Amino acid sequence: MDFERPLFDLEKKLEDLRRLSLAEAPELAAEVDSLAAEIAKLRIETYTRLSPWDRVQIARHPERPKTQHYVEALFTDVIELHGDRLFGDDEAMFAGLATLGEQRIAFLGHRKGSNTTENIRRHFGSPHPEGFRKAMRVMRLAEKFGLPLVTFLDTFGAYPGIEAEERGQAWAIAESIELLSGLRVPIVVADIGEGGSGGALAIGFGDHLIMLENSYYSVSSPEACASILYRDSGQAEAASSCLRMTARDVYEFGIADEIIPEPLGGAHRDPSGVISAVGVAISDALDRLSGTLPEDLFVRRYDRLRDIGEYCRLPGE
């Protein structure tokens, strides 16, 4: 990532120095110690002054834990469900049934690839309409069998291609939002990276929203917002500062319920620790929601949605 370049250069220099034999050049020992101290100081300065755009870069880091990593580590007895019964199977939407602790659940999540081949097959985590329709199949199963629903957000948005529009992309997203809002089962959402646009919102709200420190949750990706505001997607960094999209922003707005800290540099620096923390947060949220009547879940969720956003009327309007 660009903002890490000064730190990366120093770490490379330190690595090169440590390859040298200090026994043959003892005068280098002091330089190594000094450089290590400088790196430690710069690491703290770099990762404690992150701009919104820096956090977007961290949220998109290719080594960041993805939905499939959370499912593999946190759940047992996983049964993946495929297809939308209308067109086909969209790998960008990971859907199925699983067990968390001793509780059977249904789960959904945007699924990015771990390499270029997988990312092309999964459209870099951007679902087509069949992905959202598959998600709706699982939502209905969750309600039919009284299973809590856990969702993982990690997409910059729904797939924007013409073929997706021809198959009813906007319609599928709208139907998914309608169905999700009315489910009579607990819904816990974990934003593990990118929570962008309608593609995220289609599976991205419920009774409890957990956000990782460097994730974002926004009505639009920075690039899409820049295209609208500035007619130039290259102005994404400027747009990211206007969107109030970081975990801290969303928490202060009262939309997110909790923020899980990440290690310096991002979740990819300690994947197992971050995944474990998310698992604990999901379990705790489900425990708190378990005694709530279905009718109360519906009413509270409606109130949560209605409380999002503020507006005022100008004189004369």
Side-chain angles (χ1 to χ4, degrees):
M1 293 176 280
D2 290 343
F3 73 91
E4 293 179 304
R5 178 58 61 183
L7 183 60
F8 176 82
D9 290 343
L10 286 180
E11 288 177 334
K12 179 70 170 53
K13 184 178 178 181
L14 179 62
E15 187 179 332
D16 292 341
L17 281 174
R18 283 175 168 164
R19 285 202 187 98
L20 300 175
S21 173
L22 296 183
E24 297 176 1
E27 68 277 8
L28 291 179
E31 186 175 346
V32 168
D33 292 341
S34 174
L35 188 56
E38 184 180 351
I39 289 172
K41 181 180 178 184
L42 182 60
R43 184 176 291 122
I44 294 173
E45 291 176 352
T46 300
Y47 294 121
T48 55
R49 299 177 183 174
L50 294 172
S51 69
W53 183 241
D54 293 337
R55 295 190 189 278
V56 171
Q57 303 310 302
I58 294 176
R60 293 173 175 173
H61 195 287
E63 296 177 7
R64 190 176 179 85
K66 300 173 177 62
T67 293
Q68 56 269 35
H69 301 134
Y70 287 86
V71 170
E72 181 180 355
L74 299 178
F75 301 158
T76 57
D77 305 320
V78 176
I79 300 174
E80 182 178 359
L81 300 177
H82 300 272
D84 67 341
R85 300 294 189 267
L86 289 172
F87 181 81
D89 187 39
D90 184 357
E91 286 193 30
M93 183 64 72
F94 194 10
L97 307 175
T99 300
L100 174 62
E102 298 181 351
Q103 186 173 24
R104 201 64 177 155
I105 63 157
F107 72 87
L108 298 168
H110 305 102
R111 179 164 54 183
K112 296 178 177 176
S114 298
N115 52 52
T116 302
T117 302
E118 284 185 354
N119 266 321
I120 291 173
R121 203 167 67 231
R122 296 170 183 171
H123 316 294
F124 294 83
S126 295
H128 281 65
E130 50 270 27
F132 296 116
R133 292 179 181 126
K134 177 167 64 174
M136 284 187 274
R137 282 187 58 216
V138 171
M139 292 177 197
R140 294 187 181 99
L141 283 174
E143 185 165 69
K144 179 177 180 179
F145 295 107
L147 302 175
L149 179 64
V150 177
T151 74
F152 298 94
L153 308 187
D154 195 15
T155 184
F156 81 93
Y159 189 78
I162 188 170
E163 66 273 29
E165 297 297 340
E166 289 172 342
R167 295 199 294 274
Q169 184 72 290
W171 190 291
I173 292 172
E175 284 188 326
S176 185
I177 292 173
E178 180 185 27
L179 179 59
L180 187 65
S181 64
L183 286 184
R184 261 67 174 179
V185 294
I187 304 170
V188 175
V189 180
D191 187 345
I192 58 174
E194 297 189 85
S197 196
L201 196 60
I203 64 166
F205 66 90
D207 306 303
H208 191 85
L209 174 58
I210 300 161
M211 292 189 70
L212 290 187
E213 180 182 356
N214 293 310
S215 65
Y216 75 81
Y217 189 86
S218 172
V219 67
S220 168
S221 70
E223 288 84 355
C225 179
S227 294
I228 296 169
L229 287 183
Y230 309 115
R231 306 292 184 190
D232 179 8
S233 61
Q235 298 295 319
E237 181 174 0
S240 68
S241 298
C242 305
L243 283 168
R244 301 292 305 276
M245 62 199 296
T246 67
R248 177 55 56 186
D249 291 328
V250 178
Y251 180 79
E252 290 175 353
F253 285 137
I255 299 171
D257 297 282
E258 61 179 306
I259 299 173
I260 295 180
E262 298 184 32
L264 285 178
H268 57 285
R269 302 277 186 171
D270 181 18
S272 59
V274 172
I275 290 173
S276 177
V278 170
V280 170
I282 292 173
S283 295
D284 289 347
L286 289 176
D287 287 344
R288 287 193 294 272
L289 293 167
S290 62
T292 309
L293 294 173
E295 293 75 16
D296 292 339
L297 285 173
F298 175 76
V299 172
R300 291 181 190 178
R301 197 177 306 142
Y302 179 82
D303 290 341
R304 280 171 64 91
L305 290 170
R306 296 292 294 180
D307 285 342
I308 294 176
E310 296 180 2
Y311 70 95
C312 64
R313 293 183 181 276
L314 297 175
E317 284 190 324

